[in-house]
């Protein structure tokens, strides 16, 4: 009897453990799916996008630098590849510089920079997507998105952030990087990330991303509106340095074509799009 | 032929400071006045540029040069208006130059109080065609401070004395037509009157003179014949290019002249610019974790086919291979190997005048570049070094740049030459080692 009881108890425990485990594994799958959806909304909304971007780089003691640029983005039809064209307006030492990225999710990007004073098209080595973009607290990956399959994702919980219901997802890089985990609060309605925390190799909070202002922008193709993070901040917790990015004049589905993302327009910014 | 003497008297630039500053202030006042609305002063929209004060000093004495190869103030102004579909680009420097003794404006050589960098218009008569006409800076090719198929004019003085790197490229007065298609792009540049390099100026840099058999500077006149007949002494350059999945493939052609004075006319006792044709190719793209590039060109010295004339440079084949990658975060490194292979070396040796030192059949140069960034990329430390195992000489360019804020930038750097022989390319500049510093306000 005791033996039978023990066996039943044992089987029950195994069953319970298996049952208990299943939400975690399906949670991981769900986490990846909802992160992919968030990624699509945050980094790849519309077939294309045009925006004026102002970045304020602010030190812990309040000293401020400004980067102003126009960004054009085109998604490859039916794929996850993207092309970016950036035209710098400020500060004066980078004015008229252009930057072209052909982004591939699972291999090295192709990047070119054009320096107008010497009419020089330079190829930029793109091995480290974790390096700072234009001296800001954002990395290249923060600007254009990190390959989802490069991390392991877990749905930790669901909770409110302010008034917004959120999924809280932890993403752990599969390779060793400058951070060991990222925790993201993803809005259940819009799928935009409202907050992200990055923990460094000592597992201490290192950087915090916040979506400070969200607006609905016309989709441009008559299909409705697209929620867009119009102001975002990345704070380096340890140094106190932060970067505030404001998007202005955002338009989706404006009709950008592949030829804009070539050396022709790198050397001579397309007047139709860069006023 | 435009003839000139490059001799400069050994007179310091006394009295020029007042003149130069007055000129800059006058220019500033004009601009400010033109921009002043009734309600008060306002900087004209679309007008950009910088003020740059820069000075350098030799780190050793040079018996034939001043102690300073560089002290100048530049006010660069840039304006990019458009009328309908025609876009204009005008960029020029008002210059006070404390070293140059000649105050006359020479837009070809970039001397005097005005250095016009760009003045061109761009139109697109067809969707697939861009035409750029006027004074423009032109660059192509894959080398990093090594040029094979880029036969557009360079300013070697600016490079060696510590001006900003943008001044290495001198402007061309040219027409550039670029035609774009899905499969191939064609760039054609026609320069109706030969635009030579702004070659080594004896007022600033001492260099080897084969005629004098020693290093010369301000003490010796170098007479130069610059071909200057419109539409006769012209240049044509073309590039065919295609981007194949991120790999940039290009073919190049050039018909014109050696860009720095490479020949000698014994009758007139002048250095000359012999005729030159170049055909070449390059490829650049991702290689491993970095960027690799290969480039080659064949130089046909058309005034010395066969290589028997010792007063005209021989034909050559030039090749270049480079690789760049990020070493660690915020530290990039690159290496290049470059070779000039003389094509008629036996004839060159057989016809070399007695007493002249023969160069090697293959001149080899290796370069290394290290670029480190710190303080949110506001501090940039850069080191570029050339070393030639065949000439046994080298040249090192360390530069430190700090962006104080969005307007102010300070720069310090050095140009350091080393060589065993005074007649080799870098070795000849061994008395020109210098350090320099600059302060710039951009707007």
């Amino acid at each position: 009897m005791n033996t039978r009881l023990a066996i039943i108890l044992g089987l029950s425990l195994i069953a319970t453990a298996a049952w208990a485990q299943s939400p975690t594994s399906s949670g991981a799958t769900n986490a990846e799916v909802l992160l992919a959806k968030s990624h699509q909304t945050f980094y790849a909304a519309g077939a294309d996008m045009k925006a004026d971007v102002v970045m304020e780089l602010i030190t812990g003691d309040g000293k401020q630098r400004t980067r102003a640029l126009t960004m054009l983005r085109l998604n490859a039809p039916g794929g996850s590849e993207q092309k970016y064209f950036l035209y710098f307006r400020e500060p004066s030492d980078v004015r008229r510089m252009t930057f072209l990225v052909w982004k591939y999710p699972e291999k090295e990007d192709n990047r070119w920079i054009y320096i107008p004073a010497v009419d020089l098209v330079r190829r930029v080595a793109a091995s480290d997507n974790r390096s700072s973009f234009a001296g800001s607290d954002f990395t290249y990956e923060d600007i254009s998105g990190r390959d989802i399959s490069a991390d392991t994702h877990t749905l930790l919980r669901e909770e409110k952030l302010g008034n917004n219901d959120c999924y809280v997802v932890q993403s752990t890089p599969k390779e060793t990087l400058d951070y060991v985990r990222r925790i993201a609060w993803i809005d259940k309605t819009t799928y935009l990330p409202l907050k992200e925390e990055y923990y460094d190799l000592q597992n201490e909070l290192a950087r915090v991303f916040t979506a400070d202002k969200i607006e609905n922008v016309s989709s441009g193709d008559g299909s409705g509106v697209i929620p867009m993070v119009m102001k975002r901040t990345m704070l380096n917790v340890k140094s106190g340095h932060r970067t505030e990015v404001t998007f202005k004049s955002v338009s989706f589905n404006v009709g950008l074509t592949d030829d804009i993302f070539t050396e022709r327009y790198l050397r001579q910014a397309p007047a139709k799009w860069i006023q | 032929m435009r003839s000139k003497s490059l001799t400069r008297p050994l007179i310091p630039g006394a009295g020029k400071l007042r003149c130069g500053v007055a000129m800059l202030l006058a220019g500033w006042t004009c601009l400010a006045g033109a921009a002043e609305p009734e309600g008060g002063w306002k900087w004209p929209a679309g007008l950009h540029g910088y003020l740059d004060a820069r000075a350098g000093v030799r780190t050793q004495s040079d018996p034939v040069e001043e102690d300073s190869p560089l002290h100048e103030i530049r006010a660069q102004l840039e304006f990019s208006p458009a009328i309908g579909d025609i876009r204009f680009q005008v960029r020029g420097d008002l210059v006070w130059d404390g070293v140059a003794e000649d105050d006359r404006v020479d837009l070809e050589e970039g001397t005097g109080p005005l250095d016009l960098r760009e003045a061109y218009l761009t139109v697109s008569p067809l969707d697939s065609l861009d035409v750029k006409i006027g004074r423009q800076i032109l660059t192509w090719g894959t080398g990093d401070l090594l040029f094979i198929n880029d036969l557009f004019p360079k300013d070697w003085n600016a490079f060696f004395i510590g001006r900003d790197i943008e001044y290495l490229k001198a402007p061309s007065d040219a027409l550039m037509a670029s035609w774009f298609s899905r499969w191939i792009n064609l760039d054609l540049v026609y320069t109706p009157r030969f635009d030579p390099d702004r070659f080594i100026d004896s007022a600033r840099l001492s260099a080897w003179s084969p005629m004098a058999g020693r290093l010369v500077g301000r003490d010796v006149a170098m007479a130069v014949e610059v071909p200057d007949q419109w539409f006769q002494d012209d240049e044509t350059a073309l590039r065919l290019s295609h981007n194949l999945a991120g790999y940039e493939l290009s073919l190049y052609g050039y018909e014109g002249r050696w860009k720095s004075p490479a020949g000698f006319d014994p009758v007139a006792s002048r250095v000359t610019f012999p005729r030159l044709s170049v055909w070449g190719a390059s490829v650049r793209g991702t290689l491993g974790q970095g960027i690799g590039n290969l480039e080659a060109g064949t130089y046909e010295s058309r005034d010395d086919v066969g290589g028997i004339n010792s007063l005209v440079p021989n034909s050559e084949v030039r090749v270049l291979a480079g690789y760049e990658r990020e070493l660690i975060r915020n530290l990039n490194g690159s290496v290049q190997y470059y070779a000039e292979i003389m094509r008629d070396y036996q004839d060159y040796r057989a016809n070399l005048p007695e007493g002249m030192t023969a160069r090697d059949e293959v001149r080899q140069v290796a370069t290394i570049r290290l670029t480190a960034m710190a303080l949110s990329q506001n501090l940039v430390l850069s080191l570029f070094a050339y070393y030639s195992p065949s000439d046994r000489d080298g040249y090192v360019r360390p530069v430190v740049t700090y962006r104080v804020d969005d307007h102010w930038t300070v720069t310090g750097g050095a140009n350091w030459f080393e060589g065993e022989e005074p007649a080799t390319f870098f070795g000849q500049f061994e008395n020109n080692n210098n350090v320099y510093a600059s302060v710039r306000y951009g707007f």
Side-chain angles (χ1 to χ4, degrees):
Chain A
M1 177 64 191
N2 283 346
T3 311
R4 203 179 298 166
L5 185 65
I7 290 169
I8 292 167
L9 271 174
L11 286 172
S12 307
L13 277 172
I14 291 166
T16 310
W19 180 83
Q21 209 174 349
S22 64
T24 314
S25 51
S26 82
T29 314
N30 288 343
E32 190 157 334
V33 170
L34 72 87
L35 211 71
K37 201 165 174 183
S38 173
H39 201 282
Q40 170 66 28
T41 312
F42 190 48
Y43 292 111
D48 62 42
M49 185 192 78
K50 172 185 181 298
D52 291 331
V53 181
V54 176
M55 305 176 82
E56 303 283 3
L57 285 56
I58 304 160
T59 60
D61 57 359
K63 284 185 191 139
Q64 195 165 318
R65 295 169 194 257
T66 303
R67 311 270 181 273
L69 56 100
T70 296
M71 174 195 282
L72 306 176
R73 164 172 60 74
L74 178 66
N75 298 343
S80 49
E81 295 176 6
Q82 293 181 313
K83 291 181 177 176
Y84 285 83
F85 183 100
L86 306 182
Y87 176 85
F88 283 86
R89 298 178 184 280
E90 287 178 44
S92 59
D93 62 340
V94 296
R95 206 180 63 80
R96 289 177 60 231
M97 271 190 198
T98 49
F99 187 51
L100 175 63
V101 181
W102 293 1
K103 182 175 168 55
Y104 311 99
E106 290 172 14
K107 64 170 185 171
E108 303 290 344
D109 299 349
N110 285 317
R111 295 180 192 163
W112 293 266
I113 193 161
Y114 174 67
I115 302 157
V118 281
D119 189 41
L120 176 68
V121 174
R122 271 202 63 211
R123 199 65 188 254
V124 184
S127 56
D128 188 358
N129 285 320
R130 303 292 313 153
S131 54
S132 157
F133 173 76
S136 74
D137 297 288
F138 288 87
T139 66
Y140 279 91
E141 260 177 11
D142 299 330
I143 299 286
S144 63
R146 176 169 168 77
D147 177 19
I148 291 171
S149 66
D151 299 341
T152 307
H153 310 282
T154 313
L155 177 59
L156 294 180
R157 57 188 181 272
E158 298 174 19
E159 68 180 23
K160 268 191 182 298
L161 184 71
N163 294 324
N164 301 84
D165 288 316
C166 291
Y167 299 109
V168 183
V169 179
Q170 175 171 285
S171 302
T172 310
K174 290 175 184 169
E175 58 177 328
T176 307
L177 294 179
D178 58 333
Y179 71 100
V180 291
R181 61 194 173 104
R182 180 189 70 201
I183 297 175
W185 280 258
I186 295 169
D187 188 302
K188 282 187 174 181
T189 313
T190 62
Y191 283 88
L192 288 174
L194 302 184
K195 183 182 176 186
E196 291 173 344
E197 294 178 346
Y198 292 81
Y199 290 82
D200 65 15
L201 300 177
Q202 289 76 44
N203 207 17
E204 293 172 355
L205 183 61
R207 295 193 308 151
V208 177
F209 165 90
T210 47
D212 308 319
K213 186 177 165 194
I214 294 173
E215 287 179 7
N216 285 327
V217 177
S218 166
S219 66
D221 59 0
S223 65
V225 291
I226 293 173
M228 171 80 191
V229 180
M230 302 299 277
K231 188 176 176 203
R232 59 194 73 183
T233 300
M234 185 72 84
L235 168 69
N236 184 319
V237 176
K238 295 197 166 171
S239 70
H241 195 283
R242 71 181 193 276
T243 302
E244 297 177 2
V245 179
T246 307
F247 280 66
K248 297 172 179 173
S249 316
V250 178
S251 321
F252 290 101
N253 297 310
V254 291
L256 299 179
T257 48
D258 218 32
D259 64 320
I260 291 165
F261 300 84
T262 60
E263 187 185 325
R264 176 185 191 178
Y265 291 105
L266 190 66
R267 286 177 180 265
Q268 179 81 47
K272 184 178 174 187
W273 304 110
I274 312 286
Q275 298 301 326
Chain B
M1 293 286 180
R2 190 156 32 113
S3 301
K4 63 172 194 166
S5 162
L6 293 180
T7 315
R8 301 289 201 288
L10 280 160
I11 304 169
K16 292 184 66 182
L17 178 61
R18 280 194 306 277
C19 175
V21 171
M23 183 200 73
L24 286 177
L25 285 176
W28 217 250
T29 311
C30 281
L31 286 166
E36 191 166 2
E38 284 190 12
W41 188 87
K42 195 178 171 214
W43 187 253
L47 188 61
H48 297 273
Y50 55 73
L51 262 176
D52 183 296
R54 194 168 285 253
V57 65
R58 281 189 165 73
T59 55
Q60 71 294 299
S61 64
D62 186 331
V64 292
E65 294 290 352
E66 295 288 318
D67 286 341
S68 169
L70 171 74
H71 44 276
E72 63 188 27
I73 302 171
R74 283 173 181 262
Q76 181 167 101
L77 294 170
E78 179 177 2
F79 195 43
S80 315
I83 301 172
D85 292 335
I86 306 174
R87 284 162 285 164
F88 296 87
Q89 167 73 8
V90 181
R91 188 162 60 96
D93 294 3
L94 297 169
V95 187
W96 169 73
D97 185 337
V99 177
E101 287 304 321
D102 192 348
D103 276 343
R104 284 168 303 178
V105 172
D106 186 328
L107 295 181
E108 294 292 319
E109 294 179 28
T111 56
L114 175 64
D115 182 6
L116 186 61
R117 309 290 300 164
E118 292 177 318
Y120 65 82
L121 62 87
T122 308
V123 288
S124 300
L126 302 170
D127 278 351
S128 57
L129 183 67
D130 290 345
V131 179
K132 219 159 129 178
I133 306 164
R135 169 157 290 212
Q136 51 196 298
I137 306 283
L138 293 162
T139 301
W140 63 39
T142 64
D144 183 8
L145 301 182
L146 288 171
F147 304 95
I148 293 179
N149 291 296
D150 180 335
L151 277 298
F152 304 114
K154 322 288 185 307
D155 186 340
W156 295 109
N157 298 297
F159 188 57
F160 291 141
I161 63 175
R163 283 200 188 116
D164 188 278
I165 190 67
E166 75 166 269
Y167 292 94
L168 170 60
K169 297 295 290 193
S172 300
D173 296 315
L175 178 149
M176 180 177 190
S178 300
W179 178 75
F180 305 93
S181 76
R182 190 172 168 188
W183 301 110
I184 200 97
N185 298 332
L186 169 67
D187 297 294
L188 182 68
V189 178
Y190 180 69
T191 308
R193 192 171 75 148
F194 177 57
D195 277 326
D197 287 344
R198 292 175 178 177
F199 45 89
I200 301 305
D201 177 350
S202 54
R204 297 175 191 276
L205 296 164
S206 57
W208 176 256
S209 164
M211 281 74 79
R214 65 178 178 85
L215 296 173
V216 301
R218 291 182 172 218
D219 57 328
V220 170
M222 180 169 74
V224 183
E225 282 185 3
V226 183
D228 65 349
Q229 294 301 302
W230 288 89
F231 305 106
Q232 288 178 24
D233 298 316
D234 54 1
E235 297 172 275
T236 307
L238 67 86
R239 178 178 67 147
L240 284 165
S241 58
H242 177 66
N243 190 320
L244 183 69
Y247 289 88
E248 301 157 76
L249 313 170
S250 299
L251 295 171
Y252 308 88
Y254 171 78
E255 186 134 328
R257 294 173 176 275
W258 292 85
K259 301 296 287 188
S260 281
F264 183 66
D265 176 354
V267 178
S269 194
R270 285 174 177 163
V271 289
T272 60
F273 297 83
R275 292 181 301 156
L276 175 71
S277 298
V278 179
W279 295 99
S282 71
V283 58
R284 179 168 65 179
T286 303
L287 183 65
Q289 296 276 298
I291 304 294
N293 64 292
L294 281 173
E295 187 168 341
T298 169
Y299 278 49
E300 302 278 346
S301 192
R302 284 184 289 133
D303 286 338
D304 183 25
V305 178
I308 53 172
N309 185 348
S310 64
L311 301 175
V312 173
N314 273 20
S315 296
E316 292 177 2
V317 171
R318 296 187 176 187
V319 293
L320 164 72
Y323 186 68
E324 177 186 359
R325 64 161 294 179
E326 190 171 59
L327 302 173
I328 54 172
R329 182 163 304 156
N330 294 322
L331 177 64
N332 273 45
S334 75
V335 290
Q336 295 180 110
Y337 171 80
Y338 165 88
E340 297 171 354
I341 305 149
M342 203 181 267
R343 281 164 54 186
D344 303 299
Y345 190 66
Q346 296 308 322
D347 292 311
Y348 162 77
R349 289 297 295 256
N351 291 286
L352 194 70
E354 245 176 77
M356 292 271 284
T357 312
R359 55 160 277 188
D360 288 345
E361 183 173 6
V362 181
R363 175 173 177 251
Q364 303 179 73
V365 178
T367 76
I368 182 168
R369 180 192 280 280
L370 291 170
T371 307
M373 289 189 288
L375 307 176
S376 299
Q377 300 181 2
N378 292 310
L379 178 65
V380 181
L381 309 165
S382 163
L383 180 76
F384 194 95
Y386 297 84
Y387 172 69
S388 171
S390 52
D391 284 357
R392 294 187 299 282
D393 64 357
Y395 168 40
V396 183
R397 292 172 56 85
V399 183
V400 179
T401 303
Y402 180 64
R403 294 187 186 98
V404 180
D405 59 24
D406 284 344
H407 297 288
W408 290 98
T409 305
V410 291
T411 302
N415 292 285
W416 185 68
F417 306 90
E418 186 65 54
E420 290 184 13
E421 305 281 338
T424 59
F425 186 74
F426 296 122
Q428 67 181 320
F429 300 122
E430 63 184 7
N431 287 342
N432 297 296
N433 293 347
N434 61 79
V435 293
Y436 63 89
S438 80
V439 179
R440 177 178 290 202
Y441 180 83
F443 53 87

